[in-house]
Amino acid sequence: MVFNSIPFLIFIALFLLFWPIFNKKNKSRWLFLTFASLFFYGWWDWRFLFLIIGSGLIDYFAGYYIPKVTWRKALLVVSLVANLGALSIFKYSMFFAESLESFFLLVFNSNVNVVESIPEFALILPVGISFYTFQSMSYTIDIYRGRLKPTLNVFHFFSFLTMFPQLVAGPIVRAKDILIQLSKKRESTDIQKWNGIKLFVFGLFQKTVLADNISEMVNKAYSLTDVSEYGFYWWIVLIGFAFQIYCDFSGYSLMARGIAKFMGYHFKMNFNHPYLSSSFKQFWSRWHISLSTWFRDYVYIPLGGSRKGVSLGLVLMMLTMLLSGLWHGAGLTFIIWGALHGVYLAIERVFRLKKINKLVYSIFVFIGVIFAWNFFRADSLIQALNISEQLFSIKGEWVFYEKFFNSLFFLVLAVLIEMIILLFRLNPQLNYRFKKVNFDVVMVVSALVSSVFLRGVESEFIYFQF
Amino acid sequence: MRHKQKIHVFLLLSVSLIVIVGVFRFTPLSSQLKANYFWLNKFENKTKFDVVVYGDSRTYRGFSPNILLENTELTGYNYGFTSAGYSNETFELIRLRVDTFTDPVILLGITPYSLTLNASENKFYHQEIKREGFEKFKRLNIDRKLSFFDRVVVEEYFKPNEELVQQDYEDDGWVASSKALLDTMSGLNSYKFIFDDNQVSDSIVNLVVQHVSEWVTIGIRVYAYRPPTMNSMVSLEDNKSGFNESFFVADFEKAGGVWINIENDGYVSYDASHLQKESAIELSRSIRKYIFE
């Protein structure tokens, strides 16, 4: 069930109708939220429920017993193995099998058949598995570290783990932030409701109007198995993809935050206009913030971070970025995408590039980011390499303008919106003046009407596949 | 304004504006909601027909079974779809739609691309048939009745109508397409690289021939033609695809099929690949004589 669909409209209407009744008492709130969320999730495929309930129960019991027993490390290992094991089976088994086959072919010149021995059930990728697995792991890790007290009620835990606004595509919320919010009745005020509506409608606009319209150009460009155009064309396509994926994912996060806000809960910001970043480090503090901070807190810092010297710090940073790439997708292209960002960050840190003129360096950062997006989007490594080669071709034609008029129109609109946001940031007075004349109402109405009529051809949220 | 008031104003203004825009907007040249119904219905509808037409976009845009069968009692349907190719499942699709109790006819629109391995993956077909649950219900039962909510394509407001393709989704599976300002290049551009590493496949050709032979054996009349297009497109395809029309025709006829030779001259394509509506009508009429006279 996606947010921009009729079933969700019916679901949320019914949910909000009954929410005030069940919200009164803790147990009824947790129970109602859990069952509603499982219904929301099961709408995709009811079989997915077994996995989320199974892995959730393991983490609940691991968390419950960790503070009580001496073999707490073993419980943590059980939780990690269960979560990472499920992730490996459902998300990476095909990748591992294919890699193994290629390895045997290259090194021993022998054909081994691993792919065919993968059981059929492992070929189905449960929606949002990477998101809830990380969320669940952080629960047991935090309890093990003594930073969180386990919840005693299993439905309290599941209402956090399965909370439908963020279940399938984040933001990756932390148990310590959400369990406490769920532990008492929270009623949303009028301002929270209004802000919730604003966030939801702006997210809907980003997804349906900007991302879905731009995707038409990007999908067509990448659906050709061969590179048929030159450098200029591919730069435009990549800028298109940069804004498509940003509007797609940021749109989902905004909608998730909006629904939560309307219910009286607060999810942290997941995107903060990343393309306005003036360094690669800043980019990663503005792009998919909940994932970046997860990797920082549970991988990079525990391994030593930058405390153990420059060289080891760089190695750990590269490792973190590679894992981040692998988190996004089981494929070499995603690993290269992560590696590229690792290299960018390393160069930036070693050569202190941030000291270059801010505007010039911001443009450089943007170019670096969109160059890396090619690997993220490409269907194969060969395609990614072909397109990367074309990016440096100085030939260029403008004929694609005719073919992609619609997508280019919305790409320009997306860029303009980011520019306007930059203008408002640089000029706080402007923000104040617009607030005074209730300009936000006009903006939200325009965004909603645009979402109804200017929507692109429906496509699934990109991050659902992760 | 207080926040509660803002919510009320927002709801009131939004509903009013949606009604106003929905009522006063232009009718789209190509309805997305009608397309949603048209494509899914094409594969979900289990009706059997006397004449079944199959092929890729040149066939579904370039041939109308209703016009082929006008003034007859016979029924027909165009099962063509985007980048359609030949595989066992599409042969099954065609076969199951033919009413074998009459004097059934299968008409194939053969293009070089449709005989490649890439086309045989039939991605568009799979994309449609994998729709399920509410999405399937919505496309089949709600979408075409909700034209009020059809999406506005900004291109239609910024470009002169002559530069845009109008598409009408007909109930015989034909997409009547037309454009006032003909474009003799766009189709050629997209075909320039389409055959690199994706030549006409012998195995696909053999599969076609084998199925034609089976169909003929059970009493189905099988016809095929190469959809007319611009001569420059034909040359490009013949040079790059590895398609040898005379060899194919010989094999096809040996299997019992009847090849219909269509000259390109006289037919107008709006994008160097697909036929204008009027030409599609003319072609549908001209093929009648080969099948029924």
Side-chain angles (χ1 to χ4, degrees):
Chain A
M1 201 185 296
V2 288
F3 290 159
N4 53 326
S5 67
I6 297 172
F8 182 74
L9 207 65
I10 298 166
F11 169 82
I12 195 72
L14 287 173
F15 178 84
L16 292 175
L17 187 72
F18 291 106
W19 178 241
I21 303 165
F22 290 101
N23 191 21
K24 286 176 187 162
K25 288 182 180 169
N26 279 349
K27 283 183 184 167
S28 62
R29 180 185 327 115
W30 299 333
L31 208 65
F32 180 62
L33 190 53
T34 302
F35 280 106
S37 300
L38 289 176
F39 176 80
F40 169 86
Y41 189 61
W43 186 263
W44 266 281
D45 191 332
W46 60 270
R47 290 169 301 176
F48 294 168
L49 293 174
F50 292 109
L51 186 66
I52 192 168
I53 293 172
S55 68
L57 281 174
I58 291 172
D59 291 324
Y60 168 75
F61 284 111
Y64 186 84
Y65 285 108
I66 281 174
K68 296 183 178 180
V69 295
T70 48
W71 37 284
R72 46 204 294 274
K73 203 166 201 167
L75 281 174
L76 178 70
V77 171
V78 168
S79 162
L80 295 182
V81 168
N83 282 296
L84 296 175
L87 205 55
S88 306
I89 291 169
F90 289 97
K91 189 166 176 173
Y92 300 108
S93 53
M94 180 60 90
F95 173 63
F96 292 146
E98 282 175 350
S99 305
L100 210 62
E101 282 184 5
S102 307
F103 175 78
F104 272 93
L105 192 66
L106 278 172
V107 179
F108 303 109
N109 199 22
S110 84
N111 278 315
V112 288
N113 202 338
V114 190
V115 172
E116 277 184 17
S117 53
I118 299 173
E120 207 175 312
F121 74 89
L123 300 174
I124 307 163
L125 179 64
V127 179
I129 185 171
S130 309
F131 288 92
Y132 69 70
T133 303
F134 271 39
Q135 232 165 260
S136 208
M137 276 199 298
S138 70
Y139 172 76
T140 42
I141 297 170
D142 282 352
I143 292 173
Y144 178 80
R145 288 173 177 174
R147 291 179 187 168
L148 180 72
K149 280 187 180 164
T151 174
L152 303 180
N153 189 299
V154 71
F155 288 108
H156 186 201
F157 171 77
F158 270 99
S159 61
F160 141 72
L161 182 68
T162 63
M163 200 175 181
F164 71 87
Q166 50 75 44
L167 174 58
V168 288
I172 302 170
V173 292
R174 303 280 178 91
K176 63 181 169 57
D177 298 328
I178 299 300
L179 282 175
I180 196 163
Q181 292 188 52
L182 284 165
S183 65
K184 58 185 175 204
K185 185 186 176 189
R186 290 167 72 96
E187 267 184 298
S188 51
T189 57
D190 286 342
I191 187 167
Q192 277 178 315
K193 281 183 181 152
W194 173 238
N195 284 335
I197 290 172
K198 275 202 291 189
L199 287 172
F200 187 85
V201 174
F202 287 144
L204 188 70
F205 175 84
Q206 274 199 314
K207 162 66 185 158
T208 57
V209 179
L210 300 177
D212 284 353
N213 274 302
I214 297 170
S215 73
E216 220 176 306
M217 169 177 78
V218 178
N219 293 346
K220 271 188 188 159
Y222 275 92
S223 66
L224 291 177
T225 45
D226 302 287
V227 181
S228 56
E229 298 281 352
Y230 301 109
F232 182 59
Y233 166 80
W234 283 108
W235 280 111
I236 298 292
V237 170
L238 280 178
I239 294 172
F241 180 64
F243 277 88
Q244 182 205 341
I245 193 168
Y246 166 54
C247 294
D248 190 287
F249 194 18
S250 163
Y252 188 90
S253 297
L254 283 180
M255 284 191 266
R257 289 178 60 215
I259 297 166
K261 181 106 20 206
F262 198 88
M263 290 160 62
Y265 298 97
H266 175 71
F267 293 168
K268 284 178 184 164
M269 188 189 263
N270 208 20
F271 287 86
N272 185 12
H273 307 286
Y275 298 135
L276 302 178
S277 303
S278 55
S279 68
F280 288 106
K281 190 182 173 192
Q282 198 178 60
F283 175 81
W284 279 103
S285 64
R286 290 169 166 219
W287 178 272
H288 199 176
I289 300 166
S290 61
L291 180 73
S292 321
T293 49
W294 197 99
F295 273 111
R296 183 197 65 198
D297 296 344
Y298 296 100
V299 179
Y300 180 66
I301 292 176
L303 288 174
S306 53
R307 300 186 306 272
K308 294 186 177 174
V310 178
S311 311
L312 190 62
L314 290 176
V315 171
L316 291 175
M317 191 170 64
M318 184 55 103
L319 179 73
T320 310
M321 293 315 294
L322 287 174
L323 286 174
S324 169
L326 198 60
W327 179 90
H328 281 87
L332 209 52
T333 48
F334 289 103
I335 296 173
I336 294 174
W337 171 76
L340 271 171
H341 275 279
V343 171
Y344 294 156
L345 288 164
I347 294 172
E348 185 174 90
R349 191 186 282 186
V350 172
F351 297 101
R352 297 179 190 280
L353 293 177
K354 279 183 275 183
K355 286 181 180 170
I356 302 172
N357 176 289
K358 202 174 170 181
L359 180 66
V360 173
Y361 192 57
S362 300
I363 294 168
F364 180 75
V365 169
F366 183 65
I367 292 171
V369 168
I370 57 172
F371 178 78
W373 278 136
N374 175 37
F375 288 89
F376 192 98
R377 175 60 182 82
D379 297 329
S380 66
L381 184 60
I382 292 171
Q383 189 186 39
L385 292 172
N386 280 340
I387 293 168
S388 297
E389 195 185 322
Q390 287 297 321
L391 286 171
F392 296 100
S393 146
I394 48 165
K395 283 188 215 167
E397 289 171 352
W398 187 233
V399 282
F400 63 88
Y401 154 79
E402 281 291 318
K403 201 163 58 174
F404 297 134
F405 182 90
N406 207 50
S407 296
L408 290 170
F409 176 88
F410 287 99
L411 176 58
V412 170
L413 184 65
V415 174
L416 272 177
I417 290 171
E418 285 300 292
M419 292 293 127
I420 291 167
I421 286 163
L422 180 66
L423 191 73
F424 271 80
R425 283 194 169 184
L426 297 173
N427 199 343
Q429 276 296 317
L430 216 57
N431 210 354
Y432 176 72
R433 273 183 216 160
F434 275 104
K435 265 191 180 159
K436 235 177 148 182
V437 291
N438 295 310
F439 194 66
D440 55 345
V441 181
V442 180
M443 294 296 290
V444 183
V445 171
S446 314
L448 183 67
V449 178
S450 304
S451 304
V452 172
F453 292 109
L454 291 176
R455 67 188 189 280
V457 176
E458 285 164 49
S459 61
E460 212 169 57
F461 287 92
I462 296 176
Y463 265 68
F464 277 4
Q465 61 186 298
F466 308 133
Chain B
M1 213 190 294
R2 289 165 67 179
H3 292 99
K4 202 167 192 166
Q5 280 175 301
K6 280 188 178 182
I7 295 174
H8 293 151
V9 172
F10 155 72
L11 290 172
L12 194 73
L13 271 179
S14 300
V15 172
S16 315
L17 263 176
I18 287 170
V19 171
I20 291 169
V21 175
V23 170
F24 291 104
R25 47 85 63 83
F26 297 136
T27 310
L29 284 176
S30 173
S31 164
Q32 182 61 45
L33 293 176
K34 278 184 190 161
N36 287 351
Y37 166 77
F38 176 86
W39 288 115
L40 191 54
N41 179 59
K42 192 172 258 202
F43 305 123
E44 284 294 322
N45 190 349
K46 306 292 182 224
T47 314
K48 288 181 184 287
F49 296 93
D50 303 304
V51 178
V52 165
V53 183
Y54 180 80
D56 57 19
S57 57
R58 282 192 207 152
T59 301
Y60 78 69
R61 290 183 190 280
F63 194 89
S64 163
N66 277 355
I67 288 168
L68 171 85
L69 302 171
E70 59 189 356
N71 304 324
T72 72
E73 297 286 302
L74 301 172
T75 58
Y77 197 82
N78 187 331
Y79 276 100
F81 58 89
T82 306
S83 300
Y86 294 94
S87 64
N88 285 325
E89 62 183 339
T90 51
F91 284 119
E92 186 69 1
L93 171 83
I94 301 167
R95 167 72 187 77
L96 288 174
R97 299 293 172 272
V98 178
D99 188 351
T100 45
F101 292 104
T102 59
D103 174 22
V105 170
I106 290 175
L107 176 63
L108 305 174
I110 302 286
T111 62
Y113 184 76
S114 69
L115 298 170
T116 63
L117 286 171
N118 279 1
S120 72
E121 290 174 18
N122 295 305
K123 285 180 185 162
F124 183 81
Y125 171 70
H126 287 124
Q127 172 198 301
E128 290 301 309
I129 58 162
K130 80 171 185 191
R131 296 188 197 282
E132 49 190 23
F134 184 80
E135 180 60 21
K136 185 171 164 180
F137 174 81
K138 181 175 118 10
R139 284 179 181 246
L140 289 175
N141 301 291
I142 303 176
D143 277 2
R144 66 182 169 148
K145 293 168 190 158
L146 283 182
S147 55
F148 180 88
F149 290 107
D150 227 326
R151 66 186 274 247
V152 170
V153 180
V154 291
E155 202 172 26
E156 293 178 9
Y157 290 76
F158 286 90
K159 279 184 174 179
N161 270 6
E162 305 86 72
E163 289 180 23
L164 301 165
V165 181
Q166 172 154 3
Q167 305 182 95
D168 296 319
Y169 297 91
E170 306 291 343
D171 57 11
D172 60 351
W174 173 44
V175 181
S177 317
S178 52
K179 188 176 168 189
L181 202 65
L182 303 181
D183 175 0
T184 53
M185 279 309 290
S186 64
L188 288 173
N189 279 337
S190 55
Y191 270 77
K192 261 186 213 165
F193 300 92
I194 213 165
F195 296 108
D196 293 354
D197 303 324
N198 183 41
Q199 297 272 294
V200 167
S201 152
D202 286 343
S203 62
I204 302 287
V205 170
N206 290 338
L207 198 67
V208 174
V209 170
Q210 180 201 323
H211 277 86
V212 169
S213 172
E214 284 170 18
W215 288 337
V216 170
T217 313
I218 57 167
I220 301 173
R221 289 192 283 149
V222 185
Y223 296 84
Y225 70 105
R226 186 169 178 175
T229 183
M230 273 181 58
N231 286 324
S232 48
M233 176 63 87
V234 175
S235 315
L236 186 147
E237 286 181 331
D238 286 348
N239 287 332
K240 294 208 161 199
S241 69
F243 180 56
N244 189 320
E245 190 175 320
S246 52
F247 284 0
F248 178 83
V249 171
D251 288 346
F252 180 79
E253 290 186 330
K254 212 153 94 187
V258 178
W259 182 262
I260 301 171
N261 238 330
I262 305 283
E263 293 297 325
N264 286 318
D265 300 339
Y267 293 104
V268 180
S269 160
Y270 61 86
D271 63 350
S273 176
H274 306 102
L275 289 188
Q276 280 277 62
K277 182 180 174 180
E278 293 73 23
S279 284
I281 294 172
E282 201 185 320
L283 175 71
S284 310
R285 284 198 181 121
S286 76
I287 282 188
R288 190 190 305 166
K289 67 173 181 249
Y290 295 98
I291 300 177
F292 298 113
E293 290 170 15

